[in-house]
Amino acid sequence: MTIRAIAASVMASLLLIAPAAHAQEKKGTGPVPEMSGLWLVQDPGSGSWTDWFDNVPKPKLQPDIIADNQRMAASEAAGNVVNRAPRTAACPIGNLPMMMASSPPINIVASRDEVLMGSESNRGRFVYTDGRPHRDVKAPSYVPTGFGDSIGHWEGDTLVVDTIGFAPRVCDSRRPVMLVPGGGRAKDTTHLVERYRLVGPDELSVTFTWEDSTVFLAPHTYSYTYKRLPEGIPIENNEEPAVAQPDRQYTTTKAEK
Amino acid sequence: MAVRGLLALVVLVWSTSALAQGGAATARPDLSGYWELRFDSFNVPRAPLTTAAQGALEMRRAKDQDAIRGCVNVGMPAVMDDRGVLDIRQSPAVIGMVARSPSSTRYIYTDGRKHPDAEELEGTTNGHSIGRWQADTLVVDTVGFNERGITAIPGGGYRTSRAHLTESYKLAASGDQLTVTFTWTDPTVFRTPHSYTFRYYKVGAMPEPRVLNCIQNDADRARFLTERPAPARF
């Protein structure tokens, strides 16, 4: 074999290897858009939590959900605005739709295998991006939360997060099931898909699509935009809790203030 | 000429590939993983306390007990010696740490930022942490604490708003162990800097549920935490 032939053979081999390595990097082990940081949801400035929470395209709801929304609205109009549900160990933690819509910034730490999403410096969601499937959310050992069970994967520059396993009920006497923006519900039968994409160096778009045939007549989709707070400082909920008192029946919620 | 050109191209492709691999090889260690503290880390030297700190220990202990009863975020350093598995997640600009006990996520910024000015920094149980890599060691500097949560420091002493913590993180045993050396300084608590080292072991999975659902109004829990236990009868 001539030197020319050897060189051509080596080069051909390297050129074959290079695209494969690049493809592998793109598939999951290589660089992906850096979404880590502190992100502030862009509320158009209604000044009202209810107005902001409902400021999404109206979902097509099941008739019983519409009736339940009307009942809750009447109850609140009648002054029933205090949560009197006892806070017990059976109460699920977290509320994904509220966390993603709330004014405290979302604090994202995106590692290769897992993405942390904290709010107000407290703990929040865990999104597994290591390729694992969902946990068996029907198993007795599964403890449902208001954050559900989230797994994610990258589709190009978009992080797609799939969530199931929400808690069937929450400890709130005013609305015992988690509300979804626009008037829907998130519960044990609900499926959420989120698509996270940087639309600028300091702008993150998240599109939420909720599906649950017991709640929605069609998938309910809306998007939020978040702005990066480059020098933001994580804050901590310094609300002083009451020291455990056996006779205390319910906790003070933000809605009571 | 053609052979020379082909060889040059081969060298170029090879060197680009080697550079890329070299870049990966010299990249920062990834501390991400689930880390468990075991009993071999509880040989902590006694802290050199000031007289004032020695006198305040009982009051601080009672305050810590109230924080436990009230499910207050435990904060540093309790986050780092949590009995549950510690989840560490590393991105290029920030590292997050999540403990199982009631606590805020701890964030360590590695993007070169400085601590905020003192007047801008509202104290937290975890403080404000910035880190920088010195070869394969992550050196973390933390200030801006408050005095809520569990303030007890291993070996003696307690966290105050004047505390300053320096930590060094280094992977060992081919990445299966993580050693962290903590050094606390606080003129109101320690006569000299107080240092100790923990060794964490990597575990494959996070036990569920990941987060302890601490109920501050749980009457049975309150009784358990406050009542003096009756002597055991055999």
Side-chain angles (χ1 to χ4, degrees), chain B residues 130-147:
Chain B
I130 52 176
R132 67 183 194 284
W133 288 94
Q134 289 182 350
D136 58 355
T137 301
L138 176 68
V139 179
V140 178
D141 189 281
T142 304
V143 297
F145 295 106
N146 65 17
E147 300 184 11

Side-chain angles (χ1 to χ4, degrees), chain A residues 87-94 122-124 126 143-145 147, chain B residues 67-74 82-85 98-104 150 206-216 218 221 225:
Chain A
R87 183 84 195 158
T88 69
C91 292
I93 60 165
N122 295 317
R123 293 168 300 184
F126 310 103
V143 180
T145 70
F147 296 130
Chain B
I68 294 169
R69 289 169 57 196
C71 299
V72 180
N73 288 332
V74 299
D82 192 53
R83 295 301 187 270
V85 175
V98 184
R100 185 168 185 271
S101 290
S103 53
S104 302
I150 299 177
M206 197 75 183
E208 297 286 347
R210 295 190 48 156
V211 173
L212 183 68
N213 192 3
C214 189
I215 306 298
Q216 58 179 268
D218 184 332
R221 182 172 176 274
L225 289 168

Side-chain angles (χ1 to χ4, degrees), chain B residues 40 54 113 177:
Chain B
D40 53 0
Q54 285 172 347
R113 73 180 63 183
Q177 294 176 11

Side-chain angles (χ1 to χ4, degrees), chain B residues 63-194:
Chain B
K63 212 161 169 272
D64 284 4
Q65 287 296 326
D66 277 348
I68 294 169
R69 289 169 57 196
C71 299
V72 180
N73 288 332
V74 299
M76 285 290 289
V79 163
M80 300 300 295
D81 57 42
D82 192 53
R83 295 301 187 270
V85 175
L86 185 68
D87 184 11
I88 299 180
R89 292 294 141 194
Q90 181 173 326
S91 82
V94 59
I95 294 171
M97 298 184 179
V98 184
R100 185 168 185 271
S101 290
S103 53
S104 302
T105 299
R106 184 177 181 213
Y107 299 100
I108 298 169
Y109 291 97
T110 54
D111 56 358
R113 73 180 63 183
K114 307 287 185 199
H115 289 302
D117 293 337
E119 58 269 21
E120 290 179 23
L121 195 55
E122 184 184 351
T124 60
T125 57
N126 286 338
H128 185 270
S129 298
I130 52 176
R132 67 183 194 284
W133 288 94
Q134 289 182 350
D136 58 355
T137 301
L138 176 68
V139 179
V140 178
D141 189 281
T142 304
V143 297
F145 295 106
N146 65 17
E147 300 184 11
R148 303 181 75 242
I150 299 177
T151 60
I153 292 173
Y158 45 84
R159 160 177 35 96
T160 77
S161 58
R162 295 186 62 181
H164 177 203
L165 172 64
T166 305
E167 296 154 281
S168 65
Y169 291 72
K170 190 171 182 182
L171 290 174
S174 303
D176 288 337
Q177 294 176 11
L178 173 65
T179 59
V180 184
T181 297
F182 304 80
T183 300
W184 291 87
T185 55
D186 183 339
T188 65
V189 177
F190 303 110
R191 286 182 280 112
T192 56
H194 171 48

Side-chain angles (χ1 to χ4, degrees), chain A residues 3-191:
Chain A
I3 291 175
R4 186 177 301 184
I6 292 170
S9 172
V10 170
M11 190 183 73
S13 302
L14 286 171
L15 289 175
L16 280 174
I17 291 167
H22 180 68
Q24 187 184 25
E25 186 172 298
K26 286 287 285 180
K27 194 174 176 187
T29 57
V32 290
E34 172 58 308
M35 293 182 180
S36 300
L38 213 50
W39 296 95
L40 183 66
V41 71
Q42 297 302 288
D43 178 345
S46 61
S48 155
W49 166 255
T50 307
D51 289 350
W52 158 238
F53 203 63
D54 285 337
N55 186 25
V56 295
K58 291 291 161 243
K60 294 188 172 98
L61 298 170
Q62 290 284 1
D64 60 326
I65 300 293
I66 295 172
D68 197 43
N69 281 343
Q70 290 167 345
R71 183 196 59 74
M72 280 195 313
S75 175
E76 287 193 16
N80 182 21
V81 293
V82 176
N83 178 16
R84 296 190 179 278
R87 183 84 195 158
T88 69
C91 292
I93 60 165
N95 185 320
L96 186 151
M98 184 178 281
M99 169 186 164
M100 299 307 290
S102 295
S103 53
I106 308 293
N107 211 336
I108 296 178
V109 180
S111 75
R112 190 189 60 180
D113 294 336
E114 186 181 319
V115 179
L116 305 178
M117 293 189 197
S119 179
E120 218 173 49
S121 181
N122 295 317
R123 293 168 300 184
R125 305 174 55 190
F126 310 103
V127 179
Y128 299 105
T129 51
D130 56 358
R132 72 178 71 182
H134 278 298
R135 280 179 286 168
D136 180 2
V137 298
K138 305 284 186 205
S141 60
Y142 177 71
V143 180
T145 70
F147 296 130
D149 182 67
S150 296
I151 54 175
H153 67 276
W154 289 91
E155 291 181 3
D157 60 355
T158 302
L159 175 64
V160 181
V161 179
D162 190 288
T163 304
I164 58 173
F166 291 107
R169 300 178 75 78
V170 295
C171 294
D172 192 325
S173 59
R174 300 157 299 178
R175 36 180 186 270
V177 183
M178 275 197 302
L179 298 185
V180 168
R185 305 284 186 274
K187 52 195 180 71
D188 49 339
T189 49
T190 306
H191 175 212

Side-chain angles (χ1 to χ4, degrees), chain A residues 38-45 52 55-57 99-106 108 195-208 222-229:
Chain A
L38 213 50
W39 296 95
L40 183 66
V41 71
Q42 297 302 288
D43 178 345
W52 158 238
N55 186 25
V56 295
M99 169 186 164
M100 299 307 290
S102 295
S103 53
I106 308 293
I108 296 178
R195 298 181 69 85
Y196 292 74
R197 194 167 75 87
L198 289 176
V199 291
D202 294 323
E203 197 166 306
L204 175 68
S205 167
V206 183
T207 298
F208 303 81
Y222 57 90
S223 297
Y224 286 158
T225 300
Y226 300 81
K227 293 276 189 188
R228 192 194 293 271
L229 302 174

